Amino acid sequence: MPRGRYSLHDPHDHTPLAEEHFQCAPGPSGWRYVSRLTGPAGDQRGSVDLALDDLGRPIRLELHAGGWQVRGAALDGVTWVRTDPTGTHATEGNVRAHAFTGTSPAFLVATARLLRLTPSSAATRVRLVAFTDPVLAPRTLDQSWALVNSEAHATDNGPLTVDEYQVTALDTGEQHAVHIAGDVVLAAPGIELEDLESPPSRFD
């Protein structure tokens, strides 16, 4: 069960945004990731709880940030309920999309798990609903993912396969690289893995 800490920063000016303390593990029905976020001053910023089924689809998502809450799942595309900080208003949303995304590294692992690309695969288009900080506002976006390299590295615990993805935002054409090993993001824009207490889990 990998457990560790990511640092999150603005990918453009590198302003520190938060630290995400996480743990994740595959299980009999898929994969689960839970984390809590703290600000640069140590204040509580929110939490992430994401569970995937064996095909990589989100069967449960719960996000907290700035007093806002989102609960969602894959249902007729993806469906969610967003609740305001007072708890008096809740709005439902539904989009014909494949999955969710956001600032948490969990979503990069989830998208890679959903697409299951190989180096010989063509670039694959995916529609995602992003929940943007600080109020978890939903936004639908389209990306293209391609697995450009998969390389095994020797470690004390046996070979570790690192996958390099090229992710393209289809509305702007902006491209960036994402490096993932098992269920841990090693590097991505705005994300740095600062600490890892145990090796990444291997997916079958």
Side-chain angles (χ1 to χ4, degrees):
M1 179 183 293
R3 182 189 304 263
R5 175 173 54 90
Y6 294 109
S7 63
L8 308 181
H9 57 267
D10 187 300
H12 302 291
D13 62 13
H14 301 287
T15 300
L17 300 177
E19 289 196 338
E20 186 161 340
H21 302 260
F22 74 94
Q23 63 185 54
C24 56
S29 61
W31 180 72
R32 187 176 180 202
Y33 177 102
V34 294
S35 69
R36 56 182 178 83
L37 289 92
T38 56
D43 53 310
Q44 295 297 317
R45 288 289 179 90
S47 62
V48 178
D49 188 340
L50 174 65
L52 308 179
D53 68 11
D54 201 41
L55 297 177
R57 298 171 300 192
I59 55 175
R60 188 182 71 256
L61 170 67
E62 186 168 331
L63 300 176
H64 294 267
W68 294 84
Q69 175 184 281
V70 166
R71 291 184 175 179
L75 183 66
D76 295 327
V78 292
T79 298
W80 68 91
V81 176
R82 176 173 173 263
T83 308
D84 70 310
T86 66
T88 57
H89 301 286
T91 55
E92 287 191 28
N94 172 263
V95 172
R96 289 287 182 182
H98 299 94
F100 300 109
T101 191
T103 55
S104 173
F107 295 112
L108 297 175
V109 175
T111 303
R113 182 68 178 154
L114 177 70
L115 298 178
R116 301 183 186 228
L117 300 174
T118 67
S120 61
S121 300
T124 299
R125 179 175 180 147
V126 60
R127 172 159 289 184
L128 303 168
V129 173
F131 294 105
T132 55
D133 293 333
V135 295
L136 301 179
R139 181 170 67 93
T140 303
L141 53 87
D142 293 297
Q143 294 179 339
S144 171
W145 280 60
L147 178 57
V148 296
N149 189 36
S150 185
E151 188 174 350
H153 298 265
T155 72
D156 293 340
N157 298 293
L160 180 67
T161 300
V162 178
D163 294 325
E164 178 186 351
Y165 296 90
Q166 180 177 279
V167 180
T168 304
L170 295 181
D171 56 347
T172 64
E174 182 180 1
Q175 295 183 333
H176 60 266
V178 173
H179 294 82
I180 297 176
D183 56 358
V184 173
V185 176
L186 302 182
I191 298 169
E192 290 187 22
L193 179 63
E194 301 288 355
D195 182 49
L196 186 64
E197 296 180 10
S198 55
S201 300
R202 291 183 175 90
F203 290 116
D204 292 334

mmCIF file with all atom_site columns, all heavy atoms in Angstrom, residues 92-117:
data_model
loop_
_atom_site.group_PDB
_atom_site.id
_atom_site.type_symbol
_atom_site.label_atom_id
_atom_site.label_alt_id
_atom_site.label_comp_id
_atom_site.label_asym_id
_atom_site.label_entity_id
_atom_site.label_seq_id
_atom_site.pdbx_PDB_ins_code
_atom_site.Cartn_x
_atom_site.Cartn_y
_atom_site.Cartn_z
_atom_site.occupancy
_atom_site.B_iso_or_equiv
_atom_site.pdbx_formal_charge
_atom_site.auth_seq_id
_atom_site.auth_comp_id
_atom_site.auth_asym_id
_atom_site.auth_atom_id
_atom_site.pdbx_PDB_model_num
ATOM 1   N N   . GLU A 1 92  ? -27.008 19.205 -8.912  1.00 0.00 ? 92  GLU A N   1
ATOM 2   C CA  . GLU A 1 92  ? -26.621 17.969 -9.587  1.00 0.00 ? 92  GLU A CA  1
ATOM 3   C C   . GLU A 1 92  ? -26.080 18.287 -10.966 1.00 0.00 ? 92  GLU A C   1
ATOM 4   O O   . GLU A 1 92  ? -26.487 19.258 -11.606 1.00 0.00 ? 92  GLU A O   1
ATOM 5   C CB  . GLU A 1 92  ? -27.822 17.033 -9.726  1.00 0.00 ? 92  GLU A CB  1
ATOM 6   C CG  . GLU A 1 92  ? -28.249 16.378 -8.439  1.00 0.00 ? 92  GLU A CG  1
ATOM 7   C CD  . GLU A 1 92  ? -29.266 15.272 -8.681  1.00 0.00 ? 92  GLU A CD  1
ATOM 8   O OE1 . GLU A 1 92  ? -29.238 14.668 -9.780  1.00 0.00 ? 92  GLU A OE1 1
ATOM 9   O OE2 . GLU A 1 92  ? -30.068 15.003 -7.781  1.00 0.00 ? 92  GLU A OE2 1
ATOM 10  N N   . GLY A 1 93  ? -25.153 17.441 -11.422 1.00 0.00 ? 93  GLY A N   1
ATOM 11  C CA  . GLY A 1 93  ? -24.630 17.571 -12.763 1.00 0.00 ? 93  GLY A CA  1
ATOM 12  C C   . GLY A 1 93  ? -24.467 16.213 -13.408 1.00 0.00 ? 93  GLY A C   1
ATOM 13  O O   . GLY A 1 93  ? -24.273 15.205 -12.722 1.00 0.00 ? 93  GLY A O   1
ATOM 14  N N   . ASN A 1 94  ? -24.568 16.189 -14.740 1.00 0.00 ? 94  ASN A N   1
ATOM 15  C CA  . ASN A 1 94  ? -24.362 14.954 -15.485 1.00 0.00 ? 94  ASN A CA  1
ATOM 16  C C   . ASN A 1 94  ? -23.803 15.317 -16.858 1.00 0.00 ? 94  ASN A C   1
ATOM 17  O O   . ASN A 1 94  ? -24.311 16.226 -17.521 1.00 0.00 ? 94  ASN A O   1
ATOM 18  C CB  . ASN A 1 94  ? -25.668 14.176 -15.638 1.00 0.00 ? 94  ASN A CB  1
ATOM 19  C CG  . ASN A 1 94  ? -25.521 12.987 -16.568 1.00 0.00 ? 94  ASN A CG  1
ATOM 20  O OD1 . ASN A 1 94  ? -25.842 13.068 -17.745 1.00 0.00 ? 94  ASN A OD1 1
ATOM 21  N ND2 . ASN A 1 94  ? -25.004 11.888 -16.049 1.00 0.00 ? 94  ASN A ND2 1
ATOM 22  N N   . VAL A 1 95  ? -22.741 14.628 -17.254 1.00 0.00 ? 95  VAL A N   1
ATOM 23  C CA  . VAL A 1 95  ? -22.105 14.881 -18.546 1.00 0.00 ? 95  VAL A CA  1
ATOM 24  C C   . VAL A 1 95  ? -21.761 13.531 -19.165 1.00 0.00 ? 95  VAL A C   1
ATOM 25  O O   . VAL A 1 95  ? -21.361 12.598 -18.456 1.00 0.00 ? 95  VAL A O   1
ATOM 26  C CB  . VAL A 1 95  ? -20.834 15.740 -18.397 1.00 0.00 ? 95  VAL A CB  1
ATOM 27  C CG1 . VAL A 1 95  ? -20.067 15.826 -19.712 1.00 0.00 ? 95  VAL A CG1 1
ATOM 28  C CG2 . VAL A 1 95  ? -21.180 17.148 -17.921 1.00 0.00 ? 95  VAL A CG2 1
ATOM 29  N N   . ARG A 1 96  ? -21.913 13.442 -20.477 1.00 0.00 ? 96  ARG A N   1
ATOM 30  C CA  . ARG A 1 96  ? -21.494 12.237 -21.193 1.00 0.00 ? 96  ARG A CA  1
ATOM 31  C C   . ARG A 1 96  ? -19.975 12.238 -21.303 1.00 0.00 ? 96  ARG A C   1
ATOM 32  O O   . ARG A 1 96  ? -19.402 12.549 -22.337 1.00 0.00 ? 96  ARG A O   1
ATOM 33  C CB  . ARG A 1 96  ? -22.128 12.201 -22.579 1.00 0.00 ? 96  ARG A CB  1
ATOM 34  C CG  . ARG A 1 96  ? -23.618 11.925 -22.542 1.00 0.00 ? 96  ARG A CG  1
ATOM 35  C CD  . ARG A 1 96  ? -23.888 10.477 -22.185 1.00 0.00 ? 96  ARG A CD  1
ATOM 36  N NE  . ARG A 1 96  ? -25.318 10.163 -22.179 1.00 0.00 ? 96  ARG A NE  1
ATOM 37  C CZ  . ARG A 1 96  ? -25.800 8.983  -21.860 1.00 0.00 ? 96  ARG A CZ  1
ATOM 38  N NH1 . ARG A 1 96  ? -24.976 8.012  -21.512 1.00 0.00 ? 96  ARG A NH1 1
ATOM 39  N NH2 . ARG A 1 96  ? -27.094 8.767  -21.868 1.00 0.00 ? 96  ARG A NH2 1
ATOM 40  N N   . ALA A 1 97  ? -19.323 11.931 -20.207 1.00 0.00 ? 97  ALA A N   1
ATOM 41  C CA  . ALA A 1 97  ? -17.863 11.922 -20.130 1.00 0.00 ? 97  ALA A CA  1
ATOM 42  C C   . ALA A 1 97  ? -17.395 10.562 -19.621 1.00 0.00 ? 97  ALA A C   1
ATOM 43  O O   . ALA A 1 97  ? -18.193 9.747  -19.151 1.00 0.00 ? 97  ALA A O   1
ATOM 44  C CB  . ALA A 1 97  ? -17.373 13.042 -19.217 1.00 0.00 ? 97  ALA A CB  1
ATOM 45  N N   . HIS A 1 98  ? -16.090 10.330 -19.726 1.00 0.00 ? 98  HIS A N   1
ATOM 46  C CA  . HIS A 1 98  ? -15.538 9.033  -19.331 1.00 0.00 ? 98  HIS A CA  1
ATOM 47  C C   . HIS A 1 98  ? -15.207 8.965  -17.844 1.00 0.00 ? 98  HIS A C   1
ATOM 48  O O   . HIS A 1 98  ? -15.306 7.909  -17.216 1.00 0.00 ? 98  HIS A O   1
ATOM 49  C CB  . HIS A 1 98  ? -14.264 8.743  -20.134 1.00 0.00 ? 98  HIS A CB  1
ATOM 50  C CG  . HIS A 1 98  ? -14.497 8.674  -21.609 1.00 0.00 ? 98  HIS A CG  1
ATOM 51  N ND1 . HIS A 1 98  ? -14.339 9.755  -22.446 1.00 0.00 ? 98  HIS A ND1 1
ATOM 52  C CD2 . HIS A 1 98  ? -14.890 7.644  -22.398 1.00 0.00 ? 98  HIS A CD2 1
ATOM 53  C CE1 . HIS A 1 98  ? -14.612 9.394  -23.693 1.00 0.00 ? 98  HIS A CE1 1
ATOM 54  N NE2 . HIS A 1 98  ? -14.964 8.127  -23.691 1.00 0.00 ? 98  HIS A NE2 1
ATOM 55  N N   . ALA A 1 99  ? -14.762 10.099 -17.259 1.00 0.00 ? 99  ALA A N   1
ATOM 56  C CA  . ALA A 1 99  ? -14.278 10.060 -15.882 1.00 0.00 ? 99  ALA A CA  1
ATOM 57  C C   . ALA A 1 99  ? -14.128 11.487 -15.369 1.00 0.00 ? 99  ALA A C   1
ATOM 58  O O   . ALA A 1 99  ? -14.472 12.464 -16.050 1.00 0.00 ? 99  ALA A O   1
ATOM 59  C CB  . ALA A 1 99  ? -12.936 9.319  -15.810 1.00 0.00 ? 99  ALA A CB  1
ATOM 60  N N   . PHE A 1 100 ? -13.586 11.603 -14.152 1.00 0.00 ? 100 PHE A N   1
ATOM 61  C CA  . PHE A 1 100 ? -13.350 12.893 -13.512 1.00 0.00 ? 100 PHE A CA  1
ATOM 62  C C   . PHE A 1 100 ? -11.861 13.228 -13.556 1.00 0.00 ? 100 PHE A C   1
ATOM 63  O O   . PHE A 1 100 ? -11.008 12.359 -13.734 1.00 0.00 ? 100 PHE A O   1
ATOM 64  C CB  . PHE A 1 100 ? -13.797 12.858 -12.043 1.00 0.00 ? 100 PHE A CB  1
ATOM 65  C CG  . PHE A 1 100 ? -15.252 12.556 -11.852 1.00 0.00 ? 100 PHE A CG  1
ATOM 66  C CD1 . PHE A 1 100 ? -15.665 11.341 -11.323 1.00 0.00 ? 100 PHE A CD1 1
ATOM 67  C CD2 . PHE A 1 100 ? -16.216 13.496 -12.189 1.00 0.00 ? 100 PHE A CD2 1
ATOM 68  C CE1 . PHE A 1 100 ? -17.016 11.065 -11.126 1.00 0.00 ? 100 PHE A CE1 1
ATOM 69  C CE2 . PHE A 1 100 ? -17.567 13.233 -11.999 1.00 0.00 ? 100 PHE A CE2 1
ATOM 70  C CZ  . PHE A 1 100 ? -17.967 12.016 -11.466 1.00 0.00 ? 100 PHE A CZ  1
ATOM 71  N N   . THR A 1 101 ? -11.551 14.508 -13.341 1.00 0.00 ? 101 THR A N   1
ATOM 72  C CA  . THR A 1 101 ? -10.165 14.906 -13.161 1.00 0.00 ? 101 THR A CA  1
ATOM 73  C C   . THR A 1 101 ? -10.128 16.110 -12.232 1.00 0.00 ? 101 THR A C   1
ATOM 74  O O   . THR A 1 101 ? -11.159 16.648 -11.826 1.00 0.00 ? 101 THR A O   1
ATOM 75  C CB  . THR A 1 101 ? -9.463  15.187 -14.503 1.00 0.00 ? 101 THR A CB  1
ATOM 76  O OG1 . THR A 1 101 ? -8.055  15.311 -14.285 1.00 0.00 ? 101 THR A OG1 1
ATOM 77  C CG2 . THR A 1 101 ? -9.988  16.457 -15.156 1.00 0.00 ? 101 THR A CG2 1
ATOM 78  N N   . GLY A 1 102 ? -8.913  16.545 -11.875 1.00 0.00 ? 102 GLY A N   1
ATOM 79  C CA  . GLY A 1 102 ? -8.723  17.660 -10.954 1.00 0.00 ? 102 GLY A CA  1
ATOM 80  C C   . GLY A 1 102 ? -7.245  17.824 -10.675 1.00 0.00 ? 102 GLY A C   1
ATOM 81  O O   . GLY A 1 102 ? -6.399  17.285 -11.398 1.00 0.00 ? 102 GLY A O   1
ATOM 82  N N   . THR A 1 103 ? -6.920  18.545 -9.607  1.00 0.00 ? 103 THR A N   1
ATOM 83  C CA  . THR A 1 103 ? -5.517  18.820 -9.317  1.00 0.00 ? 103 THR A CA  1
ATOM 84  C C   . THR A 1 103 ? -4.805  17.636 -8.668  1.00 0.00 ? 103 THR A C   1
ATOM 85  O O   . THR A 1 103 ? -3.573  17.560 -8.694  1.00 0.00 ? 103 THR A O   1
ATOM 86  C CB  . THR A 1 103 ? -5.381  20.042 -8.394  1.00 0.00 ? 103 THR A CB  1
ATOM 87  O OG1 . THR A 1 103 ? -6.160  19.819 -7.209  1.00 0.00 ? 103 THR A OG1 1
ATOM 88  C CG2 . THR A 1 103 ? -5.884  21.301 -9.088  1.00 0.00 ? 103 THR A CG2 1
ATOM 89  N N   . SER A 1 104 ? -5.539  16.715 -8.071  1.00 0.00 ? 104 SER A N   1
ATOM 90  C CA  . SER A 1 104 ? -4.909  15.592 -7.377  1.00 0.00 ? 104 SER A CA  1
ATOM 91  C C   . SER A 1 104 ? -4.222  14.649 -8.355  1.00 0.00 ? 104 SER A C   1
ATOM 92  O O   . SER A 1 104 ? -4.770  14.324 -9.415  1.00 0.00 ? 104 SER A O   1
ATOM 93  C CB  . SER A 1 104 ? -5.941  14.808 -6.574  1.00 0.00 ? 104 SER A CB  1
ATOM 94  O OG  . SER A 1 104 ? -5.353  13.625 -6.026  1.00 0.00 ? 104 SER A OG  1
ATOM 95  N N   . PRO A 1 105 ? -3.022  14.161 -8.013  1.00 0.00 ? 105 PRO A N   1
ATOM 96  C CA  . PRO A 1 105 ? -2.356  13.148 -8.851  1.00 0.00 ? 105 PRO A CA  1
ATOM 97  C C   . PRO A 1 105 ? -3.190  11.881 -9.029  1.00 0.00 ? 105 PRO A C   1
ATOM 98  O O   . PRO A 1 105 ? -2.992  11.141 -9.991  1.00 0.00 ? 105 PRO A O   1
ATOM 99  C CB  . PRO A 1 105 ? -1.060  12.844 -8.082  1.00 0.00 ? 105 PRO A CB  1
ATOM 100 C CG  . PRO A 1 105 ? -0.824  14.054 -7.230  1.00 0.00 ? 105 PRO A CG  1
ATOM 101 C CD  . PRO A 1 105 ? -2.188  14.575 -6.876  1.00 0.00 ? 105 PRO A CD  1
ATOM 102 N N   . ALA A 1 106 ? -4.128  11.640 -8.127  1.00 0.00 ? 106 ALA A N   1
ATOM 103 C CA  . ALA A 1 106 ? -4.978  10.453 -8.238  1.00 0.00 ? 106 ALA A CA  1
ATOM 104 C C   . ALA A 1 106 ? -5.669  10.379 -9.584  1.00 0.00 ? 106 ALA A C   1
ATOM 105 O O   . ALA A 1 106 ? -5.844  9.301  -10.160 1.00 0.00 ? 106 ALA A O   1
ATOM 106 C CB  . ALA A 1 106 ? -6.026  10.456 -7.123  1.00 0.00 ? 106 ALA A CB  1
ATOM 107 N N   . PHE A 1 107 ? -6.061  11.541 -10.118 1.00 0.00 ? 107 PHE A N   1
ATOM 108 C CA  . PHE A 1 107 ? -6.815  11.552 -11.367 1.00 0.00 ? 107 PHE A CA  1
ATOM 109 C C   . PHE A 1 107 ? -5.946  11.162 -12.563 1.00 0.00 ? 107 PHE A C   1
ATOM 110 O O   . PHE A 1 107 ? -6.459  10.618 -13.546 1.00 0.00 ? 107 PHE A O   1
ATOM 111 C CB  . PHE A 1 107 ? -7.460  12.915 -11.578 1.00 0.00 ? 107 PHE A CB  1
ATOM 112 C CG  . PHE A 1 107 ? -8.504  13.253 -10.555 1.00 0.00 ? 107 PHE A CG  1
ATOM 113 C CD1 . PHE A 1 107 ? -8.304  14.270 -9.640  1.00 0.00 ? 107 PHE A CD1 1
ATOM 114 C CD2 . PHE A 1 107 ? -9.692  12.537 -10.497 1.00 0.00 ? 107 PHE A CD2 1
ATOM 115 C CE1 . PHE A 1 107 ? -9.264  14.582 -8.692  1.00 0.00 ? 107 PHE A CE1 1
ATOM 116 C CE2 . PHE A 1 107 ? -10.667 12.835 -9.556  1.00 0.00 ? 107 PHE A CE2 1
ATOM 117 C CZ  . PHE A 1 107 ? -10.452 13.859 -8.649  1.00 0.00 ? 107 PHE A CZ  1
ATOM 118 N N   . LEU A 1 108 ? -4.657  11.437 -12.502 1.00 0.00 ? 108 LEU A N   1
ATOM 119 C CA  . LEU A 1 108 ? -3.762  11.022 -13.584 1.00 0.00 ? 108 LEU A CA  1
ATOM 120 C C   . LEU A 1 108 ? -3.621  9.501  -13.594 1.00 0.00 ? 108 LEU A C   1
ATOM 121 O O   . LEU A 1 108 ? -3.670  8.868  -14.652 1.00 0.00 ? 108 LEU A O   1
ATOM 122 C CB  . LEU A 1 108 ? -2.391  11.688 -13.426 1.00 0.00 ? 108 LEU A CB  1
ATOM 123 C CG  . LEU A 1 108 ? -2.379  13.219 -13.518 1.00 0.00 ? 108 LEU A CG  1
ATOM 124 C CD1 . LEU A 1 108 ? -0.988  13.755 -13.218 1.00 0.00 ? 108 LEU A CD1 1
ATOM 125 C CD2 . LEU A 1 108 ? -2.857  13.685 -14.892 1.00 0.00 ? 108 LEU A CD2 1
ATOM 126 N N   . VAL A 1 109 ? -3.458  8.909  -12.414 1.00 0.00 ? 109 VAL A N   1
ATOM 127 C CA  . VAL A 1 109 ? -3.393  7.453  -12.323 1.00 0.00 ? 109 VAL A CA  1
ATOM 128 C C   . VAL A 1 109 ? -4.709  6.853  -12.806 1.00 0.00 ? 109 VAL A C   1
ATOM 129 O O   . VAL A 1 109 ? -4.728  5.862  -13.553 1.00 0.00 ? 109 VAL A O   1
ATOM 130 C CB  . VAL A 1 109 ? -3.089  7.007  -10.879 1.00 0.00 ? 109 VAL A CB  1
ATOM 131 C CG1 . VAL A 1 109 ? -3.136  5.488  -10.759 1.00 0.00 ? 109 VAL A CG1 1
ATOM 132 C CG2 . VAL A 1 109 ? -1.733  7.525  -10.430 1.00 0.00 ? 109 VAL A CG2 1
ATOM 133 N N   . ALA A 1 110 ? -5.817  7.468  -12.414 1.00 0.00 ? 110 ALA A N   1
ATOM 134 C CA  . ALA A 1 110 ? -7.131  6.941  -12.785 1.00 0.00 ? 110 ALA A CA  1
ATOM 135 C C   . ALA A 1 110 ? -7.343  6.978  -14.299 1.00 0.00 ? 110 ALA A C   1
ATOM 136 O O   . ALA A 1 110 ? -7.854  6.023  -14.887 1.00 0.00 ? 110 ALA A O   1
ATOM 137 C CB  . ALA A 1 110 ? -8.223  7.735  -12.074 1.00 0.00 ? 110 ALA A CB  1
ATOM 138 N N   . THR A 1 111 ? -6.945  8.085  -14.941 1.00 0.00 ? 111 THR A N   1
ATOM 139 C CA  . THR A 1 111 ? -7.119  8.176  -16.397 1.00 0.00 ? 111 THR A CA  1
ATOM 140 C C   . THR A 1 111 ? -6.237  7.170  -17.114 1.00 0.00 ? 111 THR A C   1
ATOM 141 O O   . THR A 1 111 ? -6.679  6.505  -18.060 1.00 0.00 ? 111 THR A O   1
ATOM 142 C CB  . THR A 1 111 ? -6.810  9.603  -16.881 1.00 0.00 ? 111 THR A CB  1
ATOM 143 O OG1 . THR A 1 111 ? -7.658  10.525 -16.194 1.00 0.00 ? 111 THR A OG1 1
ATOM 144 C CG2 . THR A 1 111 ? -7.040  9.733  -18.379 1.00 0.00 ? 111 THR A CG2 1
ATOM 145 N N   . ALA A 1 112 ? -4.990  7.015  -16.659 1.00 0.00 ? 112 ALA A N   1
ATOM 146 C CA  . ALA A 1 112 ? -4.102  6.026  -17.264 1.00 0.00 ? 112 ALA A CA  1
ATOM 147 C C   . ALA A 1 112 ? -4.658  4.620  -17.096 1.00 0.00 ? 112 ALA A C   1
ATOM 148 O O   . ALA A 1 112 ? -4.585  3.790  -18.011 1.00 0.00 ? 112 ALA A O   1
ATOM 149 C CB  . ALA A 1 112 ? -2.704  6.127  -16.643 1.00 0.00 ? 112 ALA A CB  1
ATOM 150 N N   . ARG A 1 113 ? -5.251  4.360  -15.923 1.00 0.00 ? 113 ARG A N   1
ATOM 151 C CA  . ARG A 1 113 ? -5.830  3.045  -15.654 1.00 0.00 ? 113 ARG A CA  1
ATOM 152 C C   . ARG A 1 113 ? -7.047  2.801  -16.551 1.00 0.00 ? 113 ARG A C   1
ATOM 153 O O   . ARG A 1 113 ? -7.263  1.688  -17.039 1.00 0.00 ? 113 ARG A O   1
ATOM 154 C CB  . ARG A 1 113 ? -6.219  2.970  -14.173 1.00 0.00 ? 113 ARG A CB  1
ATOM 155 C CG  . ARG A 1 113 ? -6.789  1.625  -13.737 1.00 0.00 ? 113 ARG A CG  1
ATOM 156 C CD  . ARG A 1 113 ? -5.755  0.553  -13.777 1.00 0.00 ? 113 ARG A CD  1
ATOM 157 N NE  . ARG A 1 113 ? -6.262  -0.726 -13.313 1.00 0.00 ? 113 ARG A NE  1
ATOM 158 C CZ  . ARG A 1 113 ? -5.775  -1.889 -13.686 1.00 0.00 ? 113 ARG A CZ  1
ATOM 159 N NH1 . ARG A 1 113 ? -4.778  -1.943 -14.542 1.00 0.00 ? 113 ARG A NH1 1
ATOM 160 N NH2 . ARG A 1 113 ? -6.263  -3.020 -13.212 1.00 0.00 ? 113 ARG A NH2 1
ATOM 161 N N   . LEU A 1 114 ? -7.834  3.839  -16.763 1.00 0.00 ? 114 LEU A N   1
ATOM 162 C CA  . LEU A 1 114 ? -9.025  3.720  -17.593 1.00 0.00 ? 114 LEU A CA  1
ATOM 163 C C   . LEU A 1 114 ? -8.657  3.430  -19.051 1.00 0.00 ? 114 LEU A C   1
ATOM 164 O O   . LEU A 1 114 ? -9.266  2.576  -19.705 1.00 0.00 ? 114 LEU A O   1
ATOM 165 C CB  . LEU A 1 114 ? -9.835  5.011  -17.513 1.00 0.00 ? 114 LEU A CB  1
ATOM 166 C CG  . LEU A 1 114 ? -11.091 5.099  -18.371 1.00 0.00 ? 114 LEU A CG  1
ATOM 167 C CD1 . LEU A 1 114 ? -12.172 4.163  -17.836 1.00 0.00 ? 114 LEU A CD1 1
ATOM 168 C CD2 . LEU A 1 114 ? -11.600 6.533  -18.422 1.00 0.00 ? 114 LEU A CD2 1
ATOM 169 N N   . LEU A 1 115 ? -7.631  4.110  -19.565 1.00 0.00 ? 115 LEU A N   1
ATOM 170 C CA  . LEU A 1 115 ? -7.288  3.996  -20.982 1.00 0.00 ? 115 LEU A CA  1
ATOM 171 C C   . LEU A 1 115 ? -6.466  2.750  -21.297 1.00 0.00 ? 115 LEU A C   1
ATOM 172 O O   . LEU A 1 115 ? -6.557  2.214  -22.401 1.00 0.00 ? 115 LEU A O   1
ATOM 173 C CB  . LEU A 1 115 ? -6.521  5.249  -21.431 1.00 0.00 ? 115 LEU A CB  1
ATOM 174 C CG  . LEU A 1 115 ? -7.303  6.564  -21.323 1.00 0.00 ? 115 LEU A CG  1
ATOM 175 C CD1 . LEU A 1 115 ? -6.425  7.730  -21.752 1.00 0.00 ? 115 LEU A CD1 1
ATOM 176 C CD2 . LEU A 1 115 ? -8.572  6.516  -22.162 1.00 0.00 ? 115 LEU A CD2 1
ATOM 177 N N   . ARG A 1 116 ? -5.623  2.300  -20.351 1.00 0.00 ? 116 ARG A N   1
ATOM 178 C CA  . ARG A 1 116 ? -4.805  1.088  -20.534 1.00 0.00 ? 116 ARG A CA  1
ATOM 179 C C   . ARG A 1 116 ? -4.072  1.096  -21.876 1.00 0.00 ? 116 ARG A C   1
ATOM 180 O O   . ARG A 1 116 ? -4.182  0.151  -22.669 1.00 0.00 ? 116 ARG A O   1
ATOM 181 C CB  . ARG A 1 116 ? -5.660  -0.162 -20.398 1.00 0.00 ? 116 ARG A CB  1
ATOM 182 C CG  . ARG A 1 116 ? -6.332  -0.247 -19.036 1.00 0.00 ? 116 ARG A CG  1
ATOM 183 C CD  . ARG A 1 116 ? -7.129  -1.516 -18.873 1.00 0.00 ? 116 ARG A CD  1
ATOM 184 N NE  . ARG A 1 116 ? -7.859  -1.467 -17.616 1.00 0.00 ? 116 ARG A NE  1
ATOM 185 C CZ  . ARG A 1 116 ? -7.891  -2.454 -16.732 1.00 0.00 ? 116 ARG A CZ  1
ATOM 186 N NH1 . ARG A 1 116 ? -7.232  -3.556 -16.954 1.00 0.00 ? 116 ARG A NH1 1
ATOM 187 N NH2 . ARG A 1 116 ? -8.590  -2.340 -15.625 1.00 0.00 ? 116 ARG A NH2 1
ATOM 188 N N   . LEU A 1 117 ? -3.334  2.146  -22.123 1.00 0.00 ? 117 LEU A N   1
ATOM 189 C CA  . LEU A 1 117 ? -2.619  2.296  -23.391 1.00 0.00 ? 117 LEU A CA  1
ATOM 190 C C   . LEU A 1 117 ? -1.372  1.421  -23.428 1.00 0.00 ? 117 LEU A C   1
ATOM 191 O O   . LEU A 1 117 ? -0.813  1.051  -22.393 1.00 0.00 ? 117 LEU A O   1
ATOM 192 C CB  . LEU A 1 117 ? -2.226  3.767  -23.592 1.00 0.00 ? 117 LEU A CB  1
ATOM 193 C CG  . LEU A 1 117 ? -3.380  4.773  -23.628 1.00 0.00 ? 117 LEU A CG  1
ATOM 194 C CD1 . LEU A 1 117 ? -2.835  6.190  -23.686 1.00 0.00 ? 117 LEU A CD1 1
ATOM 195 C CD2 . LEU A 1 117 ? -4.296  4.497  -24.802 1.00 0.00 ? 117 LEU A CD2 1
#
